[in-house]
Amino acid sequence: MIVCGDDGLAHRLAAELRGVYGEQVTLVVPPSGRRVRQPVVGRARAASAALLDRFVNAAAGRAGTGPGGAEPAPAEQVLEAAELTEAVLGEAGADRAAALALVYDDDETNIRAALTARRLNPRLRLVLRLYNRRLGQHIEELLDQAAAVASGTGPGHTGLDASTTVLSDADTAAPALAATALVGTSKVVQTEGLVLRAVERQPPRPGEVADPGLCTLALLSATSNDPAGADGSEGSGEQGPRLLPDEAAVAAATGRGTVVLEQVAYSGPSLPSGRGGVPPFASLFSRRLRWSLAGLVGCVLALAVALTVVTGEHPLYATYVTLLDLFGINDPAYHAATGRQVLQLLSGLIGLLLLPVLLAAVLEALGTFRTASALRKPPRGLGGHVVLLGLGKIGTRVLTRLRELHIPVVCVESDPQARGLATARRLRVPVVLGDVTQEGVLEAAKIHRASALLALTSADTTNLEASLYARSVRPDLRVVLRLYDDDFATAVYRTLRAAHPSALTRSRSVSHLAAPAFAGAMMGRQILGAIPVERRVLLFAEIEVGGHPQLEGRTVGEAFRAGAWRVLALNTAPSTPGEERAAASGLVWDLPPTYVLGAGDRVLLAATRRGLAELLGRRRRERTGT
């Protein structure tokens, strides 16, 4: 396996391939002087430097333990290259590699290298990191067609092992980041036409059994307040979360919360497109102006009623005369009764007050139409919303997810040219422009009435500072931090949890959330998504049963392995490229335990990282004869 990148995702992906899948990895990174260094602390910085030194100095392999402790750890090489040229790919062994991951932060760099790699090795499995999803779909089709033509199999041939998968770390991490901020709201994995929802449920009472929903995905930690932060970690043992438990474990798990699976279809109102739309009437005028107009209308009605009483005229005629008096176009009541004269004077006075109100209404309406594409400000009475810091790649995707869940959001962004401002404008989401570290910015976002804070800027220190300040304003605020370095994220999580045991705190590394999906794609399977269960990850993938002895010829009940994988649904739709929505509509969820999985079946399953590694790794070794 070859991994090429210029940030932490490359190193995390390489570690995932080695530690979980037991693969031999060649890592291609920029020279030390050009490498982007993200903020890490103490032990993490020293460990990273020492680890890199060992990588560079390793000429051959080094002995160790692979997954499960049964096989020696594969050898690893690190190449430093300023540009990923054909010569560098050749030196890395692209002509004989099984898969190549291009995870540079620049889309053009990844596309250029993918075209070169496809020419060097038509059978190479490619995984690209691209933010532009529409471009990614075209690149997938282009590179797969090029591989088919170069191999002499012709376009559309399904027997070719080479494939191209385009993923976005932003899309992969966004559902987990959005769900983490919402206690009681579903964790969502969404693909084209398919929405899976994982719901955390409270621990059942003694003697009760938790409702499994469609199925129970995990049992949460036995303890809910561990100052050391061991809950949910890999080394938390039986006290930590148990992924994919069997029925006996679920029945015996009294006092522990569960994560159950639900399958839903998005049926809410469509998000406004923002093109050619007319602003709603309520947004044309301010609240104060609307009250002024309502008061004037009330005065006119009161004058009309009074005129009817004084003169005995019909109410419609009295209203007409009142309006004439109001606009000053009626005859003066020289010889009329005193009451009529007083009403005419009052009508004229109210008419004078009406002119500035009408002028203000016209100016405000014109200003609203002119600024319909401008950024909105947070409403005065807003509360229970999510404050989202940062509208970069990750923040923009998270904003879209939150709005799809109909969650009110207020964004804070310091860059007036940020890419996510257009999305916020289209979704009509309030935005506060300013530096979150400056006084008054979070107050403008109404942090004191918010339900959660999502700190997703590109600077770890900014996210940490904003989170600490928000906690000083609201000690019980739910806080989710995006931290680049995984060790740093773990240290912050433990410290904040110890300092605020009664508040929900989560620190997430985007590379940690995205790496499993990229690694699974390199092994030849498209990962539909990942759901975090505390500090562990549960993967969802679609797999062809043929060639997997753990699945083929077995019943659904026999194929289930507790703690490793579980078959969720059978996909009966034809496997045709570009028909994801049709495929999702063919999912059969109520499979009986006695259903026998055939070689031609495609199943949707939930798996742990090591469980998926075992499924994919065995098939690869059998195919290659190793």
Side-chain angles (χ1 to χ4, degrees), residues 368-409:
T368 301
F369 276 106
R370 289 176 180 174
T371 60
S373 61
L375 298 174
R376 302 181 64 194
K377 295 182 179 180
R380 291 185 179 180
L382 182 64
H385 58 287
V386 174
V387 176
L388 174 62
L389 309 183
L391 286 175
K393 293 192 300 183
I394 304 296
T396 303
R397 294 289 194 251
V398 173
L399 172 60
T400 303
R401 300 286 182 180
L402 290 173
R403 291 305 300 134
E404 289 174 352
L405 294 172
H406 309 291
I407 304 300
V409 185

Side-chain angles (χ1 to χ4, degrees), residues 98-134:
L100 167 66
L102 300 166
V103 293
Y104 289 95
D105 195 39
D106 178 59
D107 286 3
E108 182 179 350
T109 301
N110 293 328
I111 294 174
R112 188 192 305 271
L115 297 174
T116 304
R118 180 59 79 213
R119 187 174 66 253
L120 288 176
N121 186 354
R123 303 191 66 85
L124 182 66
R125 187 179 301 118
L126 293 176
V127 178
L128 281 72
R129 171 190 184 183
L130 294 182
Y131 181 78
N132 190 327
R133 289 178 289 186
R134 178 174 297 181

